[in-house]
């Protein structure tokens, strides 16, 4: 049975409750922290000479698609009615809109230490202690919209400029690729500060707190954000039929990116799957 991922703003009260309960149960079972560990371990940047998979690389999209899918399977083992909803940040743009309600993800952090004090993932609610982190802070932190120096979430027009690019990715296949759908969506721009944070990256910055670190999956909004990012890959494919994941072949031995990125039919660690095998998920789930 093909299941559906829905806009989080369409969930009923009962559906919100079941989603939250499933996330808390995956956490209680110890499985949640494994996803956080994987994300930390495969965090990568341009300067590294080992293989880059999760970020600053063509496989940004399939890597997160696979992580998100595995997380969703963990949720569905708890409650088969649950899927990962998506947060359309081009429409729900305020720190008080969905998903920041008390019956979903809770709100922003308090001023003093950015600690989230409301909703089911507040430390004081007793079910959300952060153990896999890049700091030793055990509570969830956020700074929605960064009120001290505010900036806005990406707009529909920002997202459209990524979707309009018919080429999946271009050399040098990293954060400096100035063309290509992947980096326009991942969002490594030029300039300084908030002007250089585009689309996907800009949302991580807008949420702030743990979403700014390699341990970002500690904030459950990570999954709702990446569900929406994943939807954009599907939308891009529909808009540009015939265009596929690039590079099709691994860079040659003289290319500075040799051995540092994953080509279409190469294995995408830590899983035994290739980007090509992750291009079409329409037999498993769809978006509504
Ligand atoms: Cu990531
Ligand atoms: Cu992300």
């Amino acid at each position: 049975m093909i299941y559906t991922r829905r806009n989080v703003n369409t969930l009923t009260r009962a559906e919100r409750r079941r989603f939250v309960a499933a996330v808390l149960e995956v956490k209680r079972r110890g499985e949640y922290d494994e996803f956080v560990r994987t994300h930390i371990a495969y965090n990568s940047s341009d300067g590294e000479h080992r293989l880059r998979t999760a970020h600053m690389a063509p496989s940004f999209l399939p890597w997160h698609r696979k992580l998100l899918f595995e997380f969703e399977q963990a949720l569905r083992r708890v409650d088969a009615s649950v899927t990962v909803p998506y947060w359309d940040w081009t429409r729900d743009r305020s720190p008080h809109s969905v998903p920041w309600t008390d019956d979903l993800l809770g709100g922003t952090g308090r001023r003093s230490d950015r600690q989230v004090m409301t909703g089911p993932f507040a430390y004081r609610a007793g079910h959300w202690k952060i153990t896999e982190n890049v700091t030793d802070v055990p509570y969830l932190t956020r700074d929605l919209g960064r009120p001290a120096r505010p900036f806005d979430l990406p707009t529909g027009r920002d997202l459209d400029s990524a979707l309009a690019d018919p080429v999946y990715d271009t050399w040098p296949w990293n954060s400096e690729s100035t063309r290509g759908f992947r980096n326009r969506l991942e969002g490594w721009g030029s300039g300084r500060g908030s002007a250089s944070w585009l689309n996907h990256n800009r949302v991580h910055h807008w949420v702030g707190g743990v979403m700014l670190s390699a341990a970002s999956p500690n904030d459950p909004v990570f999954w709702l954000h990446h569900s929406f990012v994943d939807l954009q890959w599907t939308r891009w494919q529909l808009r540009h039929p015939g265009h596929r994941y690039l590079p099709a072949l691994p860079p040659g031995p003289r290319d500075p990116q040799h051995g540092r990125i994953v080509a279409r039919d190469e294995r995408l660690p830590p899983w035994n799957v290739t980007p090509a095998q992750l291009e079409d998920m329409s037999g498993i789930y769809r978006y509504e």
Side-chain angles (χ1 to χ4, degrees), residues 8-285:
V8 67
N9 72 21
T10 70
L11 299 194
T12 64
R13 277 168 61 188
E15 287 166 340
R16 292 178 183 203
R17 204 174 320 123
R18 295 182 81 146
F19 173 72
V20 167
V23 174
L24 292 176
E25 175 60 14
V26 168
K27 173 80 167 174
R28 195 194 63 78
R29 293 178 177 184
E31 295 174 31
Y32 195 98
D33 292 334
E34 278 180 45
F35 294 104
V36 183
R37 274 196 293 276
T38 300
H39 193 268
I40 294 172
Y42 286 83
N43 185 42
S44 53
S45 62
D46 283 357
E48 277 153 45
H49 287 268
R50 63 176 178 139
L51 190 69
R52 303 189 308 281
T53 53
H55 307 116
M56 297 187 178
S59 51
F60 165 71
L61 283 163
W63 195 92
H64 285 84
R65 171 168 284 182
K66 180 65 172 164
L67 189 77
L68 182 61
F69 177 70
E70 293 298 325
F71 174 67
E72 190 170 56
Q73 299 314 301
L75 293 178
R76 290 168 65 77
R77 285 192 292 274
V78 173
D79 181 343
S81 77
V82 169
T83 66
V84 181
Y86 60 88
W87 167 35
D88 180 348
W89 27 258
T90 70
R91 290 178 188 271
D92 292 310
R93 306 177 57 78
S94 136
H96 305 289
S97 60
V98 164
W100 312 113
T101 54
D102 287 358
D103 62 349
L104 268 169
L105 305 187
T108 193
R110 64 181 175 190
R111 193 185 294 215
S112 58
D113 58 3
R114 309 289 178 227
Q115 182 174 174
V116 170
M117 303 303 289
T118 56
F121 304 99
Y123 185 76
R124 65 175 184 180
H127 307 294
W128 205 257
K129 182 175 184 210
I130 295 180
T131 54
E132 300 300 322
N133 209 346
V134 291
T135 66
D136 45 23
V137 173
Y139 50 80
L140 181 60
T141 51
R142 291 183 188 136
D143 189 22
L144 302 182
R146 200 180 62 176
R149 279 179 298 147
F151 63 97
D152 287 328
L153 284 163
T155 63
R157 186 182 276 195
D158 295 334
L159 190 53
D160 239 43
S161 73
L163 287 164
D165 195 325
V167 178
Y168 178 82
D169 203 355
T170 56
W171 195 89
W173 317 110
N174 60 18
S175 75
E176 291 174 5
S177 297
T178 52
R179 292 190 53 244
F181 166 64
R182 187 274 310 168
N183 194 36
R184 290 185 199 271
L185 179 62
E186 188 178 0
W188 305 100
S190 54
R192 302 184 65 172
S194 62
S196 68
W197 309 326
L198 311 176
N199 289 316
H200 155 268
N201 281 350
R202 195 172 180 86
V203 176
H204 278 268
H205 281 273
W206 190 88
V207 176
V210 304
M211 275 286 276
L212 285 176
S213 76
S216 51
N218 277 313
D219 191 331
V221 78
F222 174 91
W223 310 105
L224 278 65
H225 174 35
H226 273 278
S227 183
F228 189 60
V229 168
D230 190 72
L231 166 57
Q232 306 316 312
W233 190 10
T234 303
R235 285 184 175 162
W236 175 85
Q237 289 169 322
L238 288 171
R239 203 191 281 202
H240 308 286
H243 287 261
R244 293 189 59 187
Y245 180 96
L246 292 173
L249 299 170
R254 290 217 190 88
D255 190 311
Q257 292 296 321
H258 178 71
R260 297 169 67 191
I261 58 166
V262 177
R264 187 186 296 158
D265 297 306
E266 290 187 299
R267 184 177 163 257
L268 177 59
W271 304 285
N272 198 11
V273 66
T274 67
Q277 291 167 331
L278 291 163
E279 282 185 299
D280 179 10
M281 303 298 276
S282 62
I284 302 170
Y285 63 79

